[in-house]
Amino acid sequence: MQNTVTPTHCPYCALQCGMNLTRTPDGSSVEVGERADFPVNRGALCGKGRTAPAVLSSRVRLTSPLVRDAGGALVPASWEEALGRVAEGLGRARSEFGADAVGVFGGGGLTNEKAYSLGKFARVVLGTSQIDYNGRFCMSSAAAAGNAAFGLDRGLPFPLEDIPRTGCVILVGSNPAETMPPSLRYFTELRENGGTLIVVDPRRTKTAEHADLHLAPRPGTDLALALGLLHLVVAEGRTDEAYVRERTAGWEETRAAAMAHWPEYVERITGVPVPRLREAVRLFCEPEAAMVLTARGPEQQAKGTDTVGAWINLCLATGRAGRPLSGYGCLTGQGNGQGGREHGQKADQLPGYRKLTDPAARAHVAGVWGVDPESLPGPGRSAYELLDALGTDIRSLLLMGSNPVVSAPRAAHVEERIRALDFLAVCDVVLSETAALADVVLPVTQWAEETGTTTNLEGRVLLRRRAITPPEGVRSDLEVLHELAARLGGGRNLEKGFPTDPEEVFEELRRASAGGPADYSGITYRRLAEENGVFWPCPASGGPEGGVHPGTPRLFHDRFATGDGRARFVPVSHRPVAEEPDEEYPLLLTTGRVVAQYQSGAQTRRVDELNAAAPGPFVELHPRLAERLGAAEGEPVAVVSRRGRAVAPARITTAIRPDTVFMPFHWAGEGRANTLTNPALDPTSRMPEFKACAVRVEAVGAGGPARTAR
């Protein structure tokens, strides 16, 4: 068989790096090669991308449906039996307890076509409002703040290529050197071009080592830090008064709130010295253009929306939004975290980023779907609230592309709730920790085995192409939904509304999104292939002289997406983390990622090369804390919160604050970091507080009693 090269994209993070796949002679797998023509990564790939084909192996991935037998074991079964059991399990809950007794939980790695079909399936076939996805845990706070300020949420309102050409970037709670390594070149080029990089992170990460200025606030105090910087902007006369007057609203209230956060007060809260605050303001304000980019650090907090809003306020007060080479942006985490919420698998949204509570939006989408708008359920529970209701209000669950047993906050409780379900069906590529608890597991296709679109962190819609034939016994998620619609439709031929061809689904998605904030109606598979992606919004018409719309790489230069075209300041004030340290739990835990693993690790932990680089969890401790504990490098320590206990080897480093410990969250078992995390929710975004909770640390080395750090 002759080798075939397929241009496509990485299955992992939101960069969606371009890569070429060359089919091996036997056609069973692919080899990864550079794809220099794709502008985001320009050929560069991280270890996860290079080793992605390892998960295609039948040694690693699922190749047959599994059902739970009378003895409680998962055993192979036919597709007919497995789908019959899923339909029975979902249908029984619906008939006995009502439509909202059935839940649906999606994932930020699903293609746009899958996310769209899953949301439609939940609302049209099941009639349930109980649908959300793990992207709620990713950038929902940034989305809420962006919508409030700009009237529109898109991760970056400009392409990554603008970053090296600006004058200063404040990077808040992001470590791209490990989370998306090919993007680090943009920040390196920024500095090579004479710009400056400010990194805000309680740890001296690999990214912080590249910074001109590193601010290390106490976890959960990013809001106070942003307010302190805005105070100094006002006090030093650095506001852009003309811009504020002409392009914004709500400044006076926001200014008053900021002035209550004087520098010395902010230093006491954050631990960042006043001179460093002043230096940050100088570096940010002196260039003609500058940016603020946030990630999970400020967003995964019970005040994440206000925190991101405070950083947006800093941009607006200095005239750094809606201007060339300036603005606020969010570095999305999951591969399709952006598109995943734009097209209907989020609890409160319909395709095109329409609001489920908007009568006009409901009428438009219902028209595309051929149903009565009144038949569409209203908004349901957010992700953690949905998981918390499992086994009580929600009796059966269909889960696609997520592993909440590892990734959800208060994970031991979430695992208990999943076990309490009457029925659980999981569609996945591998037998994740969550799939291992299911009554039925359906093996589905993955990136190189299917075609579909994703939307990267820039708002660039991309075409992933099928490179190989999936193993016999594996079906696509679209086929699963088609078959379940037939079985659950009650003779209404609902399966006709759930095509199995991804391009056919995308054509319907285009119609459903038309006229919405995330308008894809002018995007086609052909354009995506020919143009290397298209930025939304891209209406079906409206280009030069009424021709093809080119897409929108840069937003807000003419006006913001609000009724009057003005950006909105939102006044905010500092408040403490939901769970402050005390005598019993004197330290703060923060969590994050490492370069060789991805999200819950369900796939990357099955790749030998990645496991060799990052074989397991660890606990970062400052040397002073380790000395008080009597902990030694590599010896186990226990981290204990009000929700549970995790044990992992100590990693002693001056790169972390003495009052803070860090754990990566990729692993299950006794080193599961999310056993500890706090599910306190942001009142607007419903984001849990992953980034700060009170803990104590105990040395558990052999040969003596545990010692606790106080």
Side-chain angles (χ1 to χ4, degrees), residues 16-57:
Q16 287 297 279
C17 290
M19 58 170 58
N20 284 323
L21 300 183
T22 302
R23 196 166 57 197
T24 55
D26 64 1
S28 65
S29 189
V30 292
E31 295 175 350
V32 171
E34 289 189 3
R35 183 182 166 192
D37 68 312
F38 187 63
V40 171
N41 61 308
R42 291 176 263 168
L45 291 169
C46 73
K48 295 187 289 290
R50 287 188 296 98
T51 60
V55 187
L56 298 169
S57 168

Side-chain angles (χ1 to χ4, degrees), residues 211 215 371 610 613 682:
L215 307 179
V371 300
L610 300 179
D682 181 289

Side-chain angles (χ1 to χ4, degrees), residues 223-241:
L223 175 53
L225 180 65
L227 286 162
L229 297 180
L230 183 53
H231 177 111
L232 287 169
V233 164
V234 175
E236 295 177 4
R238 296 182 183 271
T239 54
D240 188 330
E241 297 293 343

Side-chain angles (χ1 to χ4, degrees), residues 111-128:
T111 63
N112 290 317
E113 292 81 0
K114 294 179 185 180
Y116 172 84
S117 294
L118 186 62
K120 180 181 178 181
F121 178 83
R123 295 179 174 106
V124 173
V125 177
L126 299 175
T128 183

Side-chain angles (χ1 to χ4, degrees), residues 467-487:
I468 58 171
T469 302
E472 185 178 352
V474 173
R475 298 187 184 180
S476 75
D477 299 90
L478 296 181
E479 291 175 297
V480 169
L481 295 175
H482 176 88
E483 294 293 336
L484 291 178
R487 287 166 170 77

Side-chain angles (χ1 to χ4, degrees), residues 145-190:
N147 279 320
F150 308 129
L152 185 69
D153 155 46
R154 195 178 83 182
L156 293 179
F158 41 72
L160 284 163
E161 67 186 39
D162 285 1
I163 290 174
R165 299 188 293 147
T166 193
C168 177
V169 172
I170 302 181
L171 192 59
V172 189
S174 178
N175 183 18
E178 297 205 62
T179 59
M180 43 180 67
S183 72
L184 189 64
R185 68 168 59 185
Y186 291 102
F187 302 99
T188 301
E189 290 171 6
L190 164 74

